[in-house]
């Protein structure tokens, strides 16, 4: 195709943005009335259920943070063998790190 050949379908399209959008909307409403398509009269979206859900989730999060705190916030766990009676969790002391070239200590 050369530069002078073009499709005649493109001839009716506006080159830039549509200037008369209100005329297009009027034409669409007229077509809707002529063909018997009922108008959309749905209700507007409701904001309150989503706001209440957000508040509820924030309150649950705060309740968990206040009434069910993480165990690390009260200091480190006691070492196993030295824990008080009734303690459910303890931590084992870490073995010394083995460096290359050193021997592994025997038990």
């Amino acid at each position: 195709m050369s530069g002078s050949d073009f499709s005649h379908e493109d001839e009716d399209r506006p080159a830039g943005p549509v200037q008369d959008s209100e005329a297009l909307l009027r034409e669409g409403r007229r077509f809707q009335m002529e063909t018997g398509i009922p108008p959309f009269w749905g209700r507007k979206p409701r904001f309150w259920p989503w706001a209440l859900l957000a508040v509820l989730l924030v309150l649950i999060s705060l309740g968990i943070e206040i009434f069910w705190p993480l165990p690390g916030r009260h200091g480190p766990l006691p070492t196993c063998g030295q824990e008080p009676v009734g303690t459910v969790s303890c931590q084992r002391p870490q073995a010394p790190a083995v460096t290359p070239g050193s021997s592994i200590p025997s038990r």
Side-chain angles (χ1 to χ4, degrees):
M1 285 187 165
S2 67
S4 61
D5 295 335
F6 64 92
S7 173
H8 291 288
E9 295 171 6
D10 294 338
E11 207 172 278
D12 294 335
R13 287 191 190 148
V18 179
Q19 299 298 324
D20 197 7
S21 59
E22 186 60 37
L24 288 173
L25 290 173
R26 279 194 305 269
E27 182 182 341
R29 285 189 209 105
R30 184 178 49 80
F31 175 78
Q32 187 176 2
M33 300 271 294
E34 288 174 358
T35 56
I37 300 172
F40 179 71
W41 296 109
R43 20 174 231 211
K44 294 181 180 179
R46 293 184 180 177
F47 176 73
W48 287 109
W50 296 107
L52 290 176
L53 178 64
V55 168
L56 178 68
L57 291 174
V58 167
L59 290 176
I60 289 172
S61 174
L62 287 174
I64 289 172
E65 185 70 27
I66 292 170
F67 297 112
W68 192 8
L70 296 174
R73 296 214 176 163
H74 300 291
L77 292 173
T79 307
C80 291
Q82 299 175 355
E83 70 271 4
V85 177
T87 302
V88 178
S89 299
C90 64
Q91 65 178 348
R92 294 189 183 134
Q94 292 182 346
V98 178
T99 59
S102 67
S103 63
I104 300 176
S106 60
R107 291 183 184 223

